[in-house]
């Protein structure tokens, strides 16, 4: 290794980067064809250099490939590299190289055999894979471990190109055999390949048995650090039969915690954590979890990138098992020169580990951080102090005094952040720390960020009676009302109303001014709505207004960045993966098609929890009293609000609940929902004048289609048909009026045809030749979605017209892909204007709770999104899709004795029918 | 967990210290291990990360359009790994670090290497990329092993006879892939270096907020054959055990004569048998030939602070700050510290400093926003003082001085802050040669900070 330059024959490679002359391609081509070996090699190097900087050199493909027949291994490697890059662009020419590969795969030198197999696997050309099978099979059984370890990975490559081929050729079994190979590196790569195939294929091809388990644990001691990672990661997915086995594995894995490579350590932590739940003996469990702390702390002495990854993981671990690191809080104190992203993560963990025992020390630290340079970090530190106060009741006094000290520094952003957290502290401990209000009010002028302003305004409104000049203070803010952000405006409105309710004599003027600005000068619907609500409340029943606006607020807890238990469990299982860094399930960022999970029920529950949490968070962070109060009243009593709508306050946006109710209770046959595709004979040969038709509904990829089988019993061949549908509930119409059979059906023959139908109301005339046509909708009440669809078919050859009807079920029309995630649902809901909303109340449905409603709707492909409680009522959200095209959003409020249904869809003609449909399902 | 690392892309950034170019990046070398990541993804990275200078403030794991980028920097080169799968990020970073180490070794540059090195060795790098990772799975990354068959483009062993290559392949895939058989040295020698870095965070009132030592044991071995080594530190757990054994069941009160150290945690080079350590805390291994890091350890109890620094900072009005320091060396008078540097921060609007020190030199360095006090040689058990009178230009802004901590740097030879020392290194080989061993100790300052 003494002298790099002299060891290389042709000097350094950098000169290959410098050729940018004209006619370069031509020159290169000539050089590639040169008989001189060195010249040839240099030319290939130039090509590779061009490829590296992103220039397209694919036009030299043939010339480069011609260099493949060489004894020079360096040249060979370069050509292979070129091939991997450009094979896809020239699949035909790539085949020219096959012979060389096959020959190389038999070379006496194992390194060359491996090189050939490795490269072939990287060439993603369908035709090549056929030639790959034989060499690969031989390589998997090769005498040389180096070849076998390369072949093992190659199986995973091949699986990605052609999964079926791998299964047919029995390569999976060979891989499983390799797990018991005597060579540790081969074992590791086989494990890696099997895990990957398990992941992409969705079924467990690894199949760990007791025998392979022992083999894996043995290989763990011998293979390279990377191999250890592969093995540990696959062990983490294994389900031990019982606690004893789990204990045994943990014991074999714990020594890995001492490995110098942090990836090995993290994977070992993952295995131990995932097995720990199975250990029933408390002492054993404690011993094992105690062993985890030192290596986790050691990770914090690594490079900053590793520290970051470790901290994100530790964040999960301390949520799941707070005990492990409870005495280690000191190691999470920030060093002055830590990168900011490390400091931020440490801060989160400090808050998780803070307790009455260490709060003194933590506060000193946080105060120190709050005086550092980086603004974002300072803000988070100030906020952290507030979060400590909310978490630890006994420490709240000290936290407040630290915050006041920080306010004294007069640093603008520190001040603003402090005001925001103090508001939260007030909410957590009402009537305890109001003495500091005076201090806060001294600094009103410096507040210029909306969140801080909103916070102080909330405080003023909430504690108006204890602030001498609350009216003046608010008045001061009101001067700039129109320029404020929406959050601040809402808070101002609420605070003024509060003030008015407390001091009606002096502030009537003010409240009128605010209500006026909110309802007339503002174009923000939230603000207008809230203004109207207050106005009406004040005008009709001031007592009720007091009860609502000054009502008691639920106390809050600090749950910033806290994960839901279900998600947390999932993520703890994902430790040492990117999911644990992002704190998101892998599906959220892995875009490759993953196997479908069968955990719909779990998901729904998860969503439900999240929804609730969000509500709470909203209340705590921003909404304050006014917001919370308004929310409660609106959610709690939908009917009253509707009544108000009828009173028509101002511009009549309300759309009364009337309408609907069409269709009888016997809308649906109580048959099982979403049956597998069944074709019914809808027309016998006799009825069809020689044409026998069976038809059924298919719902594939969200597209609704009518599948028909034709049997021709007539005299003439059947070539094409025309189809028309009668009006139906959702206005289904054929995508194209003509059915042209792929080939004529001779007399006595049969053909199958798929007629796609869609319901895209607005897109009727779009490129998709078939659509759902509002014009074909049956008048409300006249039809039901379960009514058979009447069709007419004209045999274009004979001119005979046949009438028949196809049985239908709601689940045929509502497609199975109507499920939205919560965020999408919310954004859609907001996107659809209120004017398009239709609602009604049914009282004749049997006493149902949300669960029953959900079950009923789910049976018809109406999907549950989320649920929240609003006083005595429960509000649930659903979505469904009609014929794969029309999206309908649904809000159902269940109260004892009545169910309110509210439907939003952007295709206006469908809103009423959709509502009627839901009603009838509920009634059924 | 499949480790699908699709692409390793070292990316160059033109750093322009004085000229007013913006930072501009371009791809120097990239290798696509899978085809799900495209080149345009790398452009996104150039735009969003390198161009926006976010290194250092933003996390090193970044998701852009479904591609996860993980990156680290070496001099002016970014080493970036891109993936679309749920990989093990720690493994990715470790692989990137290891890649950097490999290049360093191959380029024969001890400290850093630069873009020109990368360009000069393009084909070699491609070869290494091919050998160290396959389809996103790290493969062979041991430097000595790689050197045995990837040799600057001309692979001598490949043309050799099949027996030799067979031996090679079974070694590089085998259980002891870090050492080849048949090594011969005329003299059998081992150099052991114990390097400690001591971290301290002290509050302005003199309370120790955090104090710990991270140490590593570096070895340079020149040993023949396949020697079996056993290494021992004055590890408290093991010494107590031995004392107990010596006492033969009687209550052990003897071992307290020698000082032992309680190690919080240690990690080992892959050659060390971890199972054995887990069972009885003995450190046994067959070493690689040449230099390697045998182990790292952490100690947080009973740390001997080499220096004690007592600051007194007074802000007198808006335009004056006085700073007094007392710094005392607390190690044996037989030793001395070298290159002691103490950085005493001063406010940004410092105009003038008058500094008096009892030894060394101190100077206000505006770019560091600190008075830097340098002492070449600081004898044990002595004390130096520093007093500075800082004049400030009156500033309009109200913002208070953030008072960063005082930082100290130093090196003390033949001293360990943790008290760790090497008790023995035993080398057994079939041929029964004798081995010469040398041990050195050194403690340097890690994060040695005193708040003011």
């Amino acid at each position: 290794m003494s002298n790099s330059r002299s060891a290389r024959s042709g000097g350094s490679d950098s000169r290959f980067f410098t050729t940018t002359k004209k006619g370069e391609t031509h020159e290169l081509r000539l050089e590639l064809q040169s008989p001189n070996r060195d010249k040839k090699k240099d030319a290939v190097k130039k090509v590779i250099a061009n490829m590296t900087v992103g220039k397209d050199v694919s036009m030299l493909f043939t010339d480069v490939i011609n260099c493949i027949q060489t004894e020079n291994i360096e040249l060979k490697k370069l050509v292979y590299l070129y091939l991997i890059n450009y094979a896809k662009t020239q699949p035909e020419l790539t085949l020219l190289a096959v012979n060389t590969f096959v020959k190389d795969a038999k070379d006496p030198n194992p390194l060359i055999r491996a090189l050939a197999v490795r490269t072939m696997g990287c060439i993603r050309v369908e035709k090549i894979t056929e030639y790959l099978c034989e060499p690969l099979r031989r390589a998997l059984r090769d005498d040389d471990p180096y070849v076998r370890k390369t072949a093992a990975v190659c199986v995973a490559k091949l699986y990605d190109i052609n999964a079926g081929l791998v299964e047919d050729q029995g390569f999976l079994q060979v891989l499983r055999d390799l797990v018991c190979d005597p060579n540790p590196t081969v074992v590791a790569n086989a494990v890696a390949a099997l895990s990957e195939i398990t992941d992409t294929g969705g079924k467990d091809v690894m199949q760990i048995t007791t025998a392979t388990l022992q083999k894996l644990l043995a290989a763990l001691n011998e293979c390279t650090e990377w191999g250890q990672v592969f093995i540990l990661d696959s062990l983490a997915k294994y389900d031990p039969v019982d606690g004893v086995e789990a204990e045994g594995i943990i014991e074999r894995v714990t020594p890995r915690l001492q490995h110098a490579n942090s990836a090995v350590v993290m994977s070992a932590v993952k295995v131990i954590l995932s097995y720990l739940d199975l250990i029933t003996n408390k002492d054993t469990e404690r011993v094992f979890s105690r062993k985890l702390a030192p290596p986790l702390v050691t990770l914090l002495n690594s490079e900053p990138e590793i520290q970051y990854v470790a901290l994100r993981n530790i964040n999960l671990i301390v949520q799941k098992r707070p005990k492990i690191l409870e005495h280690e809080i000191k190691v999470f104190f920030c060093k002055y020169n830590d990168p900011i992203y490390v400091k931020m993560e440490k801060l989160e963990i400090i808050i998780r580990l803070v307790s009455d025992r260490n709060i003194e020390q933590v506060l000193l630290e946080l105060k120190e951080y709050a005086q550092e340079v980086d603004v974002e970090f300072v803000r988070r530190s100030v906020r952290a102090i507030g979060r400590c106060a909310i978490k630890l009741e006994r420490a709240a006094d000290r936290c407040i005094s630290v915050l006041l000290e920080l306010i004294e520094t007069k640093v603008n952003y520190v001040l603003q952040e402090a005001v925001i957290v103090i508001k939260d502290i007030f909410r957590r401990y009402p009537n305890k720390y109001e003495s500091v209000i005076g201090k806060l009010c001294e600094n009103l002028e410096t507040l210029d960020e909306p969140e801080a302003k909103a916070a102080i305004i909330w405080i003023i409104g909430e504690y108006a009676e204890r602030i001498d000049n609350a009216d003046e203070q608010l008045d001061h803010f009101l001067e700039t009302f129109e320029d404020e952000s929406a959050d601040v405006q809402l808070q101002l409105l609420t605070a003024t109303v509060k003030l008015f309710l407390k001091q009606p004599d002096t502030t009537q003027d003010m409240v009128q001014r605010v209500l006026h600005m909110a309802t007339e000068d503002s174009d923000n619907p939230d603000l207008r709505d809230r203004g109207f609500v207050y106005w009406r409340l004040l005008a009709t029943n001031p007592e009720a207004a007091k009860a609502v606006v000054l009502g008691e607020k639920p106390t809050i807890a600090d749950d910033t960045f806290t994960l839901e238990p279900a998600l947390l469990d999932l993520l703890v299982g994902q430790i040492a993966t990117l999911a644990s860094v992002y704190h998101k399930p892998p599906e959220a960022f892995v875009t490759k098609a993953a196997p479908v999970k069968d955990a719909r029920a779990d998901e729904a529950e998860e969503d439900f929890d999240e929804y609730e949490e969000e509500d709470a968070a909203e209340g705590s962070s921003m909404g304050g009293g006014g917001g919370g109060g308004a929310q409660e009243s609106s959610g709690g009593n939908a009917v009253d609000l509707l009544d108000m709508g009828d009173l028509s306050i101002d511009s009549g946006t309300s759309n009364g609940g009337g309408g609907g109710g069409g269709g009888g209770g016997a809308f649906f046959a109580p048959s099982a929902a979403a049956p597998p595709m069944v074709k019914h004979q809808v027309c016998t040969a006799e009825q069809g004048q020689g044409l026998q038709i069976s038809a059924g509904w298919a719902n594939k990829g969200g597209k609704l289609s009518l599948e028909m089988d034709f049997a021709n019993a007539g005299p003439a061949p059947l070539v094409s048909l025309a189809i028309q549908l009668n009006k139906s509930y959702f206005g289904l119409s054929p995508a194209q009026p003509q059915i042209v059979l792929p080939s004529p059906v001779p007399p006595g023959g049969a053909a199958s045809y798929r007629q796609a139908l869609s319901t895209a109301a607005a897109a009727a005339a779009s490129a998709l030749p078939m659509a759902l046509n509002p014009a074909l909708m049956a008048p409300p009440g006249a039809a039901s979605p379960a009514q058979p669809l009447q069709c007419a078919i004209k045999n274009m050859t004979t001119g005979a017209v046949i009438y028949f009807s196809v049985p239908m079920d709601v689940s045929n029309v509502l497609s199975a892909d109507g499920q939205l995630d919560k965020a999408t649902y919310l954004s859609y809901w907001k996107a659809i204007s209120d004017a398009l909303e239709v609602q009604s109340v049914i009282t004749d449905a049997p006493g149902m709770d949300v669960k029953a409603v959900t079950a009923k709707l789910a049976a018809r492909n109406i999907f549950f999104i989320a649920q929240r409680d609003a006083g005595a009522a429960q509000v649930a959200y659903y979505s469904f899709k009609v014929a794969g095209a029309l999206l309908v959003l649904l809000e159902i409020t269940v109260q004892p004795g009545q169910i309110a249904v509210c439907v939003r869809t952007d295709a206006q003609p469908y809103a009423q029918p959709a509502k009627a449909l839901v009603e009838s399902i509920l009634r059924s | 967990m499949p480790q699908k690392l699709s692409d390793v892309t070292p990316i160059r950034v033109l750093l322009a210290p004085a000229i007013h170019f913006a930072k501009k990046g371009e791809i120097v070398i990239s290798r696509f291990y899978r085809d799900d990541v495209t080149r345009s993804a790398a452009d996104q990275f150039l735009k969003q990360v390198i161009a926006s200078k976010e290194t250092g403030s933003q996390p090193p794991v970044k998701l852009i359009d479904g591609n996860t980028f993980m990156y680290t920097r070496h001099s002016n080169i970014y080493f970036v790994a891109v993936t679309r799968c749920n990989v093990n990020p720690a493994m990715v970073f470790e692989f990137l670090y290891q890649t950097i180490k490999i290049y360093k070794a191959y380029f024969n540059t001890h400290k850093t290497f630069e873009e020109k090195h990368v360009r000069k060795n393009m084909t070699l790098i491609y070869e290494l990329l091919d050998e160290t990772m396959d389809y996103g799975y790290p493969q062979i990354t041991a430097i000595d092993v790689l050197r045995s068959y990837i040799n600057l483009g001309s692979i001598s062993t490949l043309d050799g006879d099949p027996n030799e290559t067979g031996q090679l392949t079974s070694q590089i895939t085998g259980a002891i892939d870090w050492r080849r058989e048949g090594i011969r040295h005329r003299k059998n020698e081992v150099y052991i270096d114990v390097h400690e870095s001591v971290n301290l965070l002290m509050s302005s009132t003199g309370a120790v907020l955090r104090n710990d030592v991270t140490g590593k044991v570096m070895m340079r071995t020149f040993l023949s054959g396949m020697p079996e080594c056993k290494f021992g530190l004055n590890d408290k757990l093991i010494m107590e055990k031995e004392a107990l054994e010596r006492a033969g069941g009687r209550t052990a009160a003897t071992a307290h004569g020698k000082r032992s150290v309680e190690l919080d945690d240690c990690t080992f080079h892959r050659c060390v048998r971890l199972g054995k350590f887990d069972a009885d805390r003995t450190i046994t291994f067959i070493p690689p030939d040449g230099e390697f890091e045998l182990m790292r350890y952490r100690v947080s109890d009973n740390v001997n602070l080499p220096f004690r620094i007592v600051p007194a900072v007074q802000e007198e009005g808006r335009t004056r700050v006085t700073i007094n320091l007392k710094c005392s060396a607390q190690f044996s008078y037989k030793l001395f510290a070298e290159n002691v540097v103490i950085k005493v921060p001063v406010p940004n609007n410092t105009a003038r400093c008058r500094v008096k020190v009892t030894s060394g030199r101190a100077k206000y360095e505006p770019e560091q926003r600190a008075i830097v006090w340098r002492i070449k040689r600081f004898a044990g058990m002595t004390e130096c003082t520093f007093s500075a009178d800082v004049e400030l230009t009156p500033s309009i802004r109200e913002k208070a001085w953030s008072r960063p901590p005082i930082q100290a740097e130093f090196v003390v030879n033949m001293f360990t802050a943790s008290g760790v020392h090497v008790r023995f290194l035993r080398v057994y080989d079939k041929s029964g040669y004798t081995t010469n061993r040398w041990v050195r100790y050194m403690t340097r300052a890690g994060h040695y900070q005193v708040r003011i």
Side-chain angles (χ1 to χ4, degrees), chain A residues 122-149:
Chain A
C122 293
I123 296 175
R124 301 177 59 91
V125 173
E126 194 73 29
K127 279 182 191 146
I128 288 266
T129 53
E130 296 166 22
Y131 297 94
L132 175 60
C133 286
E134 269 323 298
L136 179 58
R137 188 187 314 285
R138 237 178 303 127
L140 284 165
R141 306 261 186 228
D142 200 292
D143 286 340
D144 194 290
Y146 185 83
V147 181
R148 289 201 302 276
K149 74 125 187 151

Side-chain angles (χ1 to χ4, degrees), chain A residues 65-299:
Chain A
I65 293 298
N66 284 337
C67 304
I68 204 168
Q69 306 263 5
T70 172
E71 292 304 307
N72 184 313
I73 186 76
E74 190 189 1
L75 183 56
K76 195 180 272 284
K77 282 191 173 181
L78 290 173
V79 175
Y80 280 0
L81 185 68
Y82 179 90
L83 250 178
I84 295 171
N85 249 351
Y86 288 111
K88 263 196 165 170
T89 60
Q90 312 269 1
E92 295 301 322
L93 291 172
T94 307
L95 284 177
L96 294 176
V98 160
N99 271 336
T100 320
F101 281 125
V102 175
K103 207 178 96 208
D104 280 0
K106 290 181 187 162
D107 196 280
N109 185 331
L111 293 174
I112 294 197
R113 291 203 296 278
L115 179 66
V117 171
R118 185 166 64 208
T119 312
M120 266 181 107
C122 293
I123 296 175
R124 301 177 59 91
V125 173
E126 194 73 29
K127 279 182 191 146
I128 288 266
T129 53
E130 296 166 22
Y131 297 94
L132 175 60
C133 286
E134 269 323 298
L136 179 58
R137 188 187 314 285
R138 237 178 303 127
L140 284 165
R141 306 261 186 228
D142 200 292
D143 286 340
D144 194 290
Y146 185 83
V147 181
R148 289 201 302 276
K149 74 125 187 151
T150 311
V153 175
C154 190
V155 175
K157 296 178 188 171
L158 185 60
Y159 189 88
D160 192 43
I161 305 169
N162 190 342
L165 193 64
V166 170
E167 281 165 24
D168 297 345
Q169 298 276 335
F171 285 147
L172 292 180
Q173 188 50 47
V174 186
L175 265 189
R176 279 193 286 267
D177 295 347
L178 286 185
V179 172
C180 299
D181 197 278
N183 183 296
T185 310
V186 177
V187 176
N189 276 4
V191 167
L194 282 170
S195 306
E196 164 146 8
I197 294 171
T198 301
D199 260 32
T200 43
K203 53 187 168 199
D204 179 26
V205 294
M206 185 90 188
Q207 298 164 3
I208 299 185
T209 61
T210 328
T212 43
L213 187 68
Q214 291 311 316
K215 192 65 205 168
L216 289 180
L217 290 171
L220 199 53
N221 290 323
E222 297 188 328
C223 61
T224 67
E225 54 224 279
W226 316 117
Q228 295 183 21
V229 174
F230 306 154
I231 293 177
L232 287 169
D233 283 350
S234 78
L235 278 179
K237 280 185 237 158
Y238 171 69
D239 274 326
V241 249
D242 53 20
V244 181
E245 194 187 33
E247 208 179 307
I249 300 175
I250 292 182
E251 268 166 11
R252 300 282 295 271
V253 166
T254 8
R256 298 296 119 198
L257 295 172
Q258 249 69 53
H259 202 287
N261 186 312
S262 63
V264 176
V265 178
M266 299 257 286
S267 294
V269 168
K270 173 187 187 165
V271 174
I272 295 171
L273 275 177
S274 59
Y275 288 6
L276 216 47
D277 290 333
L278 291 166
I279 309 282
T280 41
N281 184 333
K282 286 288 156 222
D283 289 333
T284 325
E285 189 196 329
R286 208 169 313 127
V287 170
F288 285 142
S289 49
R290 204 175 292 151
K291 283 195 171 170
L292 290 175
L296 286 173
V297 172
T298 300
L299 289 175

Side-chain angles (χ1 to χ4, degrees), chain A residues 1-2 4-5 7-8 12-14 17 45 48-49 51-54 73-74 77-78 81 84 88 109-111 115 118 124 144-146 149-150 153 156-157 160 183-185 189 192 195-196 199-200 222 224-226 229-230 233-234 237 255-256 258-263 266-267 291 294-295 297-298 301 303 305-306 308-309 330 333-337 339-341 365 368-369 371 411 413 574 576-579 581-582 586 589-592, chain B residues 1-4 27-31 34-36 39 56-63 66 68 70-73 83-91 93-95 97-98 105-108 119-124 126-127 130-131 134-135 137-141 147 149 152-155 157-158 165-166 168-170 172-175 177 201 208-210 214 264-270 274-275 277-278 298 399 402-405 407 447 449 451:
Chain A
M1 206 33 258
S2 52
S4 64
R5 208 165 298 188
R8 177 175 298 281
S12 102
D13 291 347
S14 33
F17 284 90
K45 280 188 181 177
I48 299 287
M51 191 179 91
T52 301
V53 297
I73 186 76
E74 190 189 1
K77 282 191 173 181
L78 290 173
L81 185 68
I84 295 171
K88 263 196 165 170
N109 185 331
L111 293 174
L115 179 66
R118 185 166 64 208
R124 301 177 59 91
D144 194 290
Y146 185 83
K149 74 125 187 151
T150 311
V153 175
K157 296 178 188 171
D160 192 43
N183 183 296
T185 310
N189 276 4
S195 306
E196 164 146 8
D199 260 32
T200 43
E222 297 188 328
T224 67
E225 54 224 279
W226 316 117
V229 174
F230 306 154
D233 283 350
S234 78
K237 280 185 237 158
R256 298 296 119 198
Q258 249 69 53
H259 202 287
N261 186 312
S262 63
M266 299 257 286
S267 294
K291 283 195 171 170
V297 172
T298 300
N301 288 321
E303 294 83 350
E305 291 88 2
I306 292 289
Y308 174 74
V309 172
K330 270 187 172 185
F333 289 170
C334 302
K335 295 177 184 148
Y336 191 73
N337 358 26
I340 288 295
Y341 59 81
E365 280 295 307
E368 200 70 38
Y369 304 160
Q371 293 167 29
V411 178
Y413 49 85
Q574 293 282 340
T577 69
L578 282 176
V581 172
Y582 293 138
F589 58 89
V590 175
T591 39
K592 246 188 190 168
Chain B
M1 191 76 278
Q3 307 306 328
K4 305 164 195 169
I27 298 171
V28 178
I29 276 194
S30 66
R31 173 77 164 83
R34 300 195 174 202
D35 74 338
D36 53 353
R39 214 184 157 90
S57 61
Q58 293 297 307
V61 182
K62 195 171 170 71
L63 183 67
T68 296
M70 284 163 270
Y71 59 97
T72 184
R73 262 180 81 170
T83 178
R84 293 183 77 79
C85 307
N86 190 21
V87 300
N88 181 337
M91 191 184 76
F93 282 120
E94 289 286 354
F95 177 78
Y97 302 146
Q98 184 62 28
Y106 266 95
F107 300 161
N108 213 6
R119 286 223 192 272
K120 205 157 84 184
N121 297 291
M122 178 193 70
T123 37
L124 168 70
Y126 272 126
E127 229 173 298
D130 214 32
E131 206 51 57
D134 190 7
Y135 202 47
Y137 296 97
Q139 298 292 312
I140 293 157
T141 54
R147 273 187 179 158
Y149 70 112
L152 297 165
S154 56
I155 301 144
T157 34
L158 280 180
T165 46
L168 176 73
T169 51
S170 60
I172 62 189
T173 58
D177 65 346
L201 182 62
V208 175
L209 298 175
R210 191 180 45 228
T214 57
D264 286 7
D265 187 33
C266 27
T267 58
F268 296 99
H269 186 268
R270 43 199 292 259
L274 296 179
F277 179 78
D278 195 57
R298 268 193 305 117
K399 195 184 163 184
S402 67
R403 291 186 167 223
Q407 301 193 49
H447 296 279
Q449 302 176 336
R451 288 178 180 160

Side-chain angles (χ1 to χ4, degrees), chain B residues 4-17:
Chain B
K4 305 164 195 169
L5 199 61
S6 299
D7 173 15
V8 174
T9 325
I11 291 178
R12 178 191 68 157
V13 172
L14 282 174
L15 268 177

Side-chain angles (χ1 to χ4, degrees), chain B residues 294-447:
Chain B
L294 176 70
M295 67 182 288
R296 288 183 184 220
Y297 57 86
R298 268 193 305 117
V299 175
S300 57
D301 286 342
N302 299 320
V303 174
N304 311 317
L305 285 180
F307 284 98
R308 195 158 182 98
I309 300 170
V310 184
V313 179
Q314 288 272 312
E315 286 181 69
E316 292 164 13
R318 284 216 193 149
T319 54
R320 231 180 126 219
V321 179
T322 58
I323 304 169
N324 288 293
L325 285 189
K326 204 168 71 182
C327 178
S328 51
Q330 301 191 307
F331 42 88
S332 155
Y333 64 91
K334 290 177 196 159
L335 305 175
F336 57 88
E338 286 174 88
N339 298 328
V340 180
V341 179
I342 299 175
K343 288 182 189 159
V344 186
V346 292
N348 294 352
N349 55 339
T350 296
R352 213 144 55 93
C353 298
R354 272 193 302 270
V355 195
K356 268 189 229 144
V357 288
T358 53
S359 89
R361 287 160 174 242
K363 203 174 108 199
Y364 169 50
E365 296 186 3
E367 68 276 15
Q368 302 226 38
R369 292 191 179 133
I371 301 171
V372 182
W373 180 19
R374 291 187 172 84
I375 306 157
K376 273 243 142 41
R377 199 183 149 102
F378 202 130
M381 305 309 279
T382 60
E383 187 177 288
C384 294
T385 57
F386 164 109
S387 70
D389 199 356
V390 181
E391 272 179 43
L392 310 178
T393 49
S395 71
I396 315 145
R397 291 207 308 151
E398 277 286 300
K399 195 184 163 184
W401 175 35
S402 67
R403 291 186 167 223
I406 294 172
Q407 301 193 49
E409 295 163 20
F410 51 79
V411 176
V412 189
N413 283 313
M414 298 316 284
F415 171 82
T416 53
S418 65
V420 160
H421 67 87
V422 177
R423 285 173 61 218
F424 58 82
L425 171 71
R426 296 182 194 128
V427 180
Y428 311 94
D429 188 69
K430 281 183 293 206
S431 57
Y433 52 75
T434 52
T435 312
N436 295 322
R437 287 152 298 188
W438 281 272
V439 186
R440 285 191 298 191
Y441 300 94
M442 183 181 81
T443 293
R444 60 169 72 240
H447 296 279

